[in-house]
Amino acid sequence: MIEKHYQPSDIESRMSLIWEDSRAFSAGRPERRDARPFTIVIPPPNVTGSLHMGHALNNTLQDILCRFERMRGRDVLWQPGTDHAGIATQMVVERQLMERQQPSRREMGREKFLDRVWQWKAESGGIIINQLKRLGASCDWSRERFTMDEGLSRAVVKVFIELHRQGLIYKDKRLVNWDPNLLTAISDLEVQQIEVKGNLWYLRYPLEGKTFNPGDPSSFIVVATTRPETMLGDTAVAVHPDDERYAHLVGRHVVLPLVGRKIPIVADEYSDPEKGSGAVKVTPAHDFNDFEVGKRHNLAQISVFDKEARLLLTGNEDYLRGLPEGAAELAEELHGLDRFAARKWIVARLEDFGFLDRIEPNTHMVPHGDRSGVVIEPFLTDQWYVDAKTLAQPAIAAVRSGATTFVPKNWEKTYYEWMENIQPWCVSRQLWWGHQIPAWYGPDGKVFVAETEDEAVGNALGYYVEQEVITAEQGREMALDRNKRAGFITRDEDVLDTWFSSALWPFSTLGWPDQTPEVKRYYPTDVLVTGFDIIFFWVARMMMMGLHFMKEAPFSTVYIHALVRDEKGAKMSKSKGNVIDPLHLIDQYGADALRFTLAAMAAQGRDIKLAASRVEGYRNFATKLWNACRFAEMNNCALPPKFDPAGAKEVLNRWMAHETARATREVTEAIESYRFNDAAGAIYRFVWNIYCDWYLELAKPVLLGEEGEAKSETRAMVAFARDVILKLLHPFMPFLTEELWAVTAKRDGLLTLASWPRKAVALTPEQVALMAAASPNEPLLAPILMAADTSELSDPAAEAEIGWVVDLVTAIRSVRAEMNIPPATLTSLVLSAASAETQARVPRWSDVIKRLARLNDISFTDRPPEGSVQLLIRGEVASLPLKGVIDLSAEKIRLDKELAKADSDIKRVDAKLANEKFVANAPEEIVEEEKEKREAAVARKAKISDAIERLRNAAS
RNA sequence: GGGCACGUAGCUCAGCGGGAGAGCACUACCUUGACAUGGUAGGGGUCACAGGUUCGAUCCCUGUCGUGCCCACCA
């Protein structure tokens, strides 16, 4: 028995348990051993995070695909898991420590801190998984993985070592994006350029050998800068080689104000004569461009900041080298000053001495850390880099060749743009939470990359014995005795970028580097579903790593969905605090309603601005289906064994079979082509507008009537269509449909494992033969198409008849409303000059028409009775004799309007047909269509004129 | 500076070369035997603007205005 009311929360918790107990979502179910696999890896959410709207959309779409393919018989693996999210998680725990006034990370030390993070992971790691389950995600939960679990960590180490051996990972000292707050390097992608209103400071750098005089421009050169404080680290001034203003100065030197350092004026094309003064200060240690200029001109790199972006001058030999007397005093004074304070101090002092030429307001982009929000400092450090340029080549080729395609396609351009201009990927992070880099350093700093410390020790001892740094005897002793070798080599303290392990996700989760059966069966995966915001972070890197290590692209399709934005259209993010909680909507309306809403709004290439009223509307849709199923149940509608919808005899049932086939085709094709909104729209219309509004209504008289063949066939069709609905809707509303599947009939198994309705493809035997000839290597193709050929369900006669009933009922209702006839007033219907077809139809439908159109009688005459409302239904006149009830003048107005409409239709078509160019150029079928339209309109006009004429006679 | 979207009913959004659609909101009526989380009927749009291509443009092209996003080291 179906409960009277639809209660989403009850159903959802119950169904979750049933699916879990039956292991319905397990990959590799024995009965599907021979089935084609279908694999999706979940974009692993942050292990300590919670479900936001983006997750809800992302996982709803994946789940639709997985449930769809599972019902189509594929062996589905939806691989779940979570990401350790290096910086994010470490920040969360550090914040907790601060809030609880506990010892800081550094005070605790690495080991204790990591214990603490693992503890936090244990506490909160299950939350998001449970939230995904609440959403209905049909992952194979028995296979859940975590990027830092043992197996995945082995994959990370293996990849690092391999890439290092191949020269594709290397250590380099160069400028990195340094976050002075988090005290770590970050990658280019983690830097956000933010527009900041600032200034352009024009500084006078005195020429060597001249006496500086602010009033004498020939005694100095003006440079413009947005960062005056970095002048302490200047090692040159650059001008453009072709800039005649400065040609005579190239090769000469300036004396750096305040500091006293003598630095050259060099010619370099980087300098743009149009910008600033045309001369630019060069600070190789604190600016990416200047770094390159410095390399070209062999300039010193003087780093003047420490890790926290405070001036590091005292004891800074690079800085102090070659400075005149007194410079050390300045260094003492400024040492430790924050970069922004330093800016103020230096500008003020430059002004005092006449070195400040002028200040111009200037708005420019300033790099900020996307996690910490502070200004990024280009900083000279040793870091590990991945040679992304090399790895990118096969990844580009895979998309070019079509081995991997993006949906929608326009994202491929974005992908190419980035991949073709890819920079070395800085993968080391000065954090503790993550995969520690498997590299050890010997006493002279030489690097030993190895899987384990023991292996690194072995390599190091071998090397140093060979180099005669230690004797063979010492080497043997140290190899045998842990204590003796303690501290001989030390491990790199840094960890890897979180995305390094994420990049391996499509194969590391399957057990790689072991050659597991899962790796063989489920790699490469079929589809990756993700948002465009992580194409660079994740998709591109999975492509690179997958192709490099597995020799095959990790997925054949990348479906890029929209972002769910907040009500203002802004991107939702934790830092902005504008996150809408999907769980709140689930509590309120149910997971099914939320899922359906997201699918219905997931049109390709458009962002989703979510309105709660929309969710409510689709909850109502669920209720509607619920009640329709109750109706079927009340009328004892059940599917008899071996029911053949194509063999239905009743017109109504033939029509329904036809509509069911059509809905099946629409939904199937829409999901196949990732048009989730179209699929949702098709099933919505089918359930509400076809099944509920018309089919069940039209079936009522039969269902309430006498037992007999018609009644049993109708009961069967009601049940058949309901079952198709439950199947088609299951990927979108899994809980509701599974519940209804269970309670509406005795079933052999779960809906989620039931078979998808076969797609109705109307093909002629010739077409089938052609297709079979075109793909001889797919022997199954032709039989499938033949079996699925439900063209016999297409039934124009039934469609015409039901269409007539619908039109008639709708027209009567409309005119009754217009004439303000109360529902309780029953009228009679008179059909005039009815065709044989109509006369045959009436007995079949009189009950229905009377019921739906509020009639008490239907009769036939030759001519419409006087004083009646006359309706034109498919070319015939249907009248409601309402003499005395209706207002004749109002009826006249109504008919005049219709006449005018018919007239204007004729005129429009005539204009077209009179246009020779139209007739000559438009496709034949369009012209033909227009002619038919004209004929229909002319006929309609004639009938309406007649009706008006009759009305006039009645009035007189 | 480069790139990608988007401006369609009051709101949120589909559609996209041959007479404008949905959900919600709105108006009127209806406790009819699945459903008031419902039913029936209805109002509401020069499809941002201006050119062009075309027999025909909401749809294709160009430009303008507006909005959003991504990328970029330009002082």
Side-chain angles (χ1 to χ4, degrees), chain A residues 195-225:
Chain A
E195 197 169 81
V196 169
K197 278 183 190 168
N199 290 315
L200 202 52
W201 285 272
Y202 288 78
L203 311 181
R204 296 168 180 154
Y205 281 12
L207 290 166
E208 188 198 20
K210 293 230 179 183
T211 307
F212 175 65
N213 174 1
D216 174 12
S218 73
S219 71
F220 54 84
I221 183 168
V222 174
V223 297
T225 180

Short mmCIF file of all heavy atoms in Angstrom, two decimals, chain A residues 195-225:
data_model
loop_
_atom_site.label_atom_id
_atom_site.label_comp_id
_atom_site.label_asym_id
_atom_site.label_seq_id
_atom_site.Cartn_x
_atom_site.Cartn_y
_atom_site.Cartn_z
N GLU A 195 42.68 43.66 -8.73
CA GLU A 195 42.95 45.05 -9.08
C GLU A 195 43.03 45.89 -7.81
O GLU A 195 42.15 45.85 -6.96
CB GLU A 195 41.84 45.58 -9.98
CG GLU A 195 42.23 46.83 -10.72
CD GLU A 195 41.22 47.17 -11.80
OE1 GLU A 195 40.18 47.76 -11.45
OE2 GLU A 195 41.46 46.85 -12.97
N VAL A 196 44.12 46.65 -7.72
CA VAL A 196 44.34 47.45 -6.53
C VAL A 196 44.66 48.88 -6.96
O VAL A 196 45.39 49.09 -7.91
CB VAL A 196 45.53 46.87 -5.72
CG1 VAL A 196 45.95 47.84 -4.62
CG2 VAL A 196 45.17 45.52 -5.14
N LYS A 197 44.06 49.82 -6.24
CA LYS A 197 44.40 51.22 -6.51
C LYS A 197 45.68 51.54 -5.78
O LYS A 197 45.75 51.44 -4.55
CB LYS A 197 43.27 52.13 -6.01
CG LYS A 197 42.13 52.22 -6.99
CD LYS A 197 41.07 53.18 -6.49
CE LYS A 197 39.82 53.06 -7.38
NZ LYS A 197 38.67 53.75 -6.79
N GLY A 198 46.68 51.91 -6.53
CA GLY A 198 47.97 52.22 -5.90
C GLY A 198 48.58 53.43 -6.57
O GLY A 198 47.86 54.29 -7.10
N ASN A 199 49.88 53.48 -6.52
CA ASN A 199 50.58 54.61 -7.11
C ASN A 199 51.71 54.13 -7.99
O ASN A 199 52.18 53.00 -7.86
CB ASN A 199 51.19 55.50 -6.01
CG ASN A 199 50.11 56.24 -5.24
OD1 ASN A 199 49.19 56.79 -5.82
ND2 ASN A 199 50.24 56.21 -3.92
N LEU A 200 52.09 55.03 -8.85
CA LEU A 200 53.31 54.84 -9.60
C LEU A 200 54.27 55.90 -9.07
O LEU A 200 53.99 57.09 -9.15
CB LEU A 200 53.01 55.05 -11.09
CG LEU A 200 53.94 54.44 -12.09
CD1 LEU A 200 54.14 52.95 -11.82
CD2 LEU A 200 53.37 54.62 -13.50
N TRP A 201 55.36 55.42 -8.49
CA TRP A 201 56.34 56.35 -7.93
C TRP A 201 57.46 56.57 -8.94
O TRP A 201 58.03 55.57 -9.44
CB TRP A 201 56.92 55.81 -6.62
CG TRP A 201 55.97 55.91 -5.46
CD1 TRP A 201 55.83 56.98 -4.62
CD2 TRP A 201 55.07 54.91 -5.00
NE1 TRP A 201 54.88 56.71 -3.66
CE2 TRP A 201 54.39 55.45 -3.87
CE3 TRP A 201 54.73 53.63 -5.42
CZ2 TRP A 201 53.42 54.72 -3.16
CZ3 TRP A 201 53.78 52.92 -4.72
CH2 TRP A 201 53.13 53.46 -3.60
N TYR A 202 57.75 57.81 -9.25
CA TYR A 202 58.85 58.12 -10.16
C TYR A 202 60.05 58.52 -9.30
O TYR A 202 59.98 59.49 -8.54
CB TYR A 202 58.47 59.27 -11.10
CG TYR A 202 57.46 58.84 -12.15
CD1 TYR A 202 56.11 58.70 -11.84
CD2 TYR A 202 57.87 58.59 -13.46
CE1 TYR A 202 55.20 58.30 -12.81
CE2 TYR A 202 56.96 58.19 -14.44
CZ TYR A 202 55.63 58.05 -14.10
OH TYR A 202 54.72 57.66 -15.05
N LEU A 203 61.11 57.74 -9.43
CA LEU A 203 62.28 57.96 -8.58
C LEU A 203 63.46 58.46 -9.41
O LEU A 203 63.63 58.07 -10.57
CB LEU A 203 62.68 56.65 -7.89
CG LEU A 203 61.56 55.87 -7.20
CD1 LEU A 203 62.12 54.60 -6.56
CD2 LEU A 203 60.84 56.71 -6.16
N ARG A 204 64.26 59.31 -8.79
CA ARG A 204 65.46 59.82 -9.47
C ARG A 204 66.66 59.03 -9.00
O ARG A 204 66.96 59.00 -7.80
CB ARG A 204 65.66 61.29 -9.14
CG ARG A 204 64.54 62.18 -9.65
CD ARG A 204 64.64 63.56 -9.05
NE ARG A 204 63.56 64.42 -9.53
CZ ARG A 204 63.09 65.46 -8.85
NH1 ARG A 204 63.57 65.77 -7.64
NH2 ARG A 204 62.12 66.18 -9.36
N TYR A 205 67.28 58.36 -9.95
CA TYR A 205 68.51 57.64 -9.61
C TYR A 205 69.69 58.46 -10.15
O TYR A 205 69.83 58.64 -11.36
CB TYR A 205 68.50 56.24 -10.27
CG TYR A 205 67.64 55.21 -9.54
CD1 TYR A 205 66.75 55.57 -8.55
CD2 TYR A 205 67.75 53.85 -9.87
CE1 TYR A 205 65.98 54.62 -7.90
CE2 TYR A 205 67.00 52.91 -9.22
CZ TYR A 205 66.10 53.29 -8.23
OH TYR A 205 65.33 52.36 -7.59
N PRO A 206 70.54 58.96 -9.25
CA PRO A 206 71.66 59.84 -9.67
C PRO A 206 72.65 59.09 -10.55
O PRO A 206 72.94 57.92 -10.31
CB PRO A 206 72.33 60.23 -8.35
CG PRO A 206 71.37 59.86 -7.28
CD PRO A 206 70.51 58.76 -7.80
N LEU A 207 73.11 59.78 -11.58
CA LEU A 207 74.11 59.18 -12.45
C LEU A 207 75.47 59.24 -11.76
O LEU A 207 75.83 60.24 -11.12
CB LEU A 207 74.18 59.95 -13.77
CG LEU A 207 72.95 59.76 -14.66
CD1 LEU A 207 72.94 60.79 -15.77
CD2 LEU A 207 72.93 58.34 -15.23
N GLU A 208 76.21 58.18 -11.92
CA GLU A 208 77.55 58.14 -11.32
C GLU A 208 78.41 59.21 -11.97
O GLU A 208 78.34 59.41 -13.19
CB GLU A 208 78.16 56.76 -11.54
CG GLU A 208 79.46 56.58 -10.80
CD GLU A 208 80.27 55.41 -11.36
OE1 GLU A 208 80.03 55.01 -12.51
OE2 GLU A 208 81.14 54.92 -10.63
N GLY A 209 79.21 59.85 -11.18
CA GLY A 209 80.13 60.84 -11.72
C GLY A 209 79.51 62.22 -11.87
O GLY A 209 80.17 63.14 -12.32
N LYS A 210 78.25 62.35 -11.53
CA LYS A 210 77.64 63.69 -11.57
C LYS A 210 77.22 64.07 -10.16
O LYS A 210 76.93 63.20 -9.34
CB LYS A 210 76.39 63.66 -12.46
CG LYS A 210 76.70 63.41 -13.93
CD LYS A 210 76.00 64.46 -14.76
CE LYS A 210 76.32 64.23 -16.23
NZ LYS A 210 75.71 65.27 -17.09
N THR A 211 77.17 65.32 -9.93
CA THR A 211 76.68 65.75 -8.63
C THR A 211 75.16 65.82 -8.73
O THR A 211 74.62 66.49 -9.60
CB THR A 211 77.23 67.15 -8.28
OG1 THR A 211 78.64 67.09 -8.42
CG2 THR A 211 76.83 67.52 -6.87
N PHE A 212 74.49 65.06 -7.84
CA PHE A 212 73.03 65.01 -7.90
C PHE A 212 72.43 66.36 -7.56
O PHE A 212 72.75 66.94 -6.52
CB PHE A 212 72.50 63.94 -6.95
CG PHE A 212 70.98 63.93 -6.90
CD1 PHE A 212 70.25 63.58 -8.03
CD2 PHE A 212 70.31 64.30 -5.73
CE1 PHE A 212 68.86 63.57 -7.98
CE2 PHE A 212 68.92 64.29 -5.69
CZ PHE A 212 68.20 63.92 -6.82
N ASN A 213 71.61 66.85 -8.45
CA ASN A 213 70.92 68.11 -8.22
C ASN A 213 69.50 67.95 -8.71
O ASN A 213 69.27 67.77 -9.91
CB ASN A 213 71.65 69.21 -9.00
CG ASN A 213 70.86 70.52 -8.90
OD1 ASN A 213 69.81 70.60 -8.25
ND2 ASN A 213 71.36 71.54 -9.58
N PRO A 214 68.52 67.96 -7.80
CA PRO A 214 67.13 67.74 -8.18
C PRO A 214 66.70 68.68 -9.30
O PRO A 214 65.80 68.35 -10.07
CB PRO A 214 66.35 68.05 -6.90
CG PRO A 214 67.34 67.83 -5.79
CD PRO A 214 68.69 68.21 -6.35
N GLY A 215 67.32 69.82 -9.42
CA GLY A 215 66.93 70.76 -10.47
C GLY A 215 67.62 70.50 -11.80
O GLY A 215 67.31 71.15 -12.79
N ASP A 216 68.52 69.58 -11.82
CA ASP A 216 69.27 69.31 -13.05
C ASP A 216 69.00 67.91 -13.57
O ASP A 216 69.60 66.94 -13.13
CB ASP A 216 70.78 69.48 -12.77
CG ASP A 216 71.61 69.09 -13.98
OD1 ASP A 216 71.03 68.91 -15.09
OD2 ASP A 216 72.83 68.91 -13.81
N PRO A 217 68.09 67.78 -14.54
CA PRO A 217 67.69 66.45 -15.04
C PRO A 217 68.86 65.67 -15.63
O PRO A 217 68.79 64.45 -15.72
CB PRO A 217 66.67 66.76 -16.13
CG PRO A 217 66.20 68.14 -15.84
CD PRO A 217 67.35 68.86 -15.19
N SER A 218 69.90 66.33 -15.99
CA SER A 218 71.01 65.58 -16.58
C SER A 218 71.84 64.90 -15.50
O SER A 218 72.74 64.13 -15.80
CB SER A 218 71.90 66.51 -17.41
OG SER A 218 72.66 67.33 -16.53
N SER A 219 71.49 65.15 -14.23
CA SER A 219 72.28 64.53 -13.17
C SER A 219 71.64 63.23 -12.68
O SER A 219 72.16 62.59 -11.79
CB SER A 219 72.45 65.50 -11.99
OG SER A 219 71.22 65.67 -11.31
N PHE A 220 70.51 62.87 -13.26
CA PHE A 220 69.88 61.63 -12.78
C PHE A 220 69.04 61.01 -13.89
O PHE A 220 68.83 61.63 -14.94
CB PHE A 220 69.00 61.88 -11.55
CG PHE A 220 67.96 62.95 -11.76
CD1 PHE A 220 66.74 62.66 -12.37
CD2 PHE A 220 68.21 64.27 -11.34
CE1 PHE A 220 65.79 63.65 -12.56
CE2 PHE A 220 67.25 65.27 -11.54
CZ PHE A 220 66.04 64.96 -12.15
N ILE A 221 68.55 59.79 -13.65
CA ILE A 221 67.62 59.14 -14.57
C ILE A 221 66.38 58.78 -13.75
O ILE A 221 66.49 58.38 -12.58
CB ILE A 221 68.25 57.89 -15.23
CG1 ILE A 221 67.29 57.26 -16.24
CG2 ILE A 221 68.69 56.85 -14.20
CD1 ILE A 221 67.98 56.21 -17.12
N VAL A 222 65.22 58.97 -14.32
CA VAL A 222 63.97 58.71 -13.58
C VAL A 222 63.45 57.31 -13.92
O VAL A 222 63.35 56.95 -15.08
CB VAL A 222 62.90 59.76 -13.92
CG1 VAL A 222 61.57 59.39 -13.27
CG2 VAL A 222 63.36 61.13 -13.47
N VAL A 223 63.19 56.57 -12.88
CA VAL A 223 62.57 55.25 -13.08
C VAL A 223 61.20 55.27 -12.41
O VAL A 223 61.01 55.97 -11.42
CB VAL A 223 63.42 54.10 -12.48
CG1 VAL A 223 64.75 54.00 -13.18
CG2 VAL A 223 63.59 54.27 -10.97
N ALA A 224 60.26 54.51 -12.96
CA ALA A 224 58.93 54.44 -12.37
C ALA A 224 58.73 53.05 -11.79
O ALA A 224 59.19 52.06 -12.37
CB ALA A 224 57.87 54.72 -13.42
N THR A 225 58.06 53.01 -10.67
CA THR A 225 57.83 51.70 -10.04
C THR A 225 56.55 51.70 -9.23
O THR A 225 56.11 52.74 -8.74
CB THR A 225 59.00 51.30 -9.13
OG1 THR A 225 58.73 50.04 -8.55
CG2 THR A 225 59.21 52.32 -8.01
#
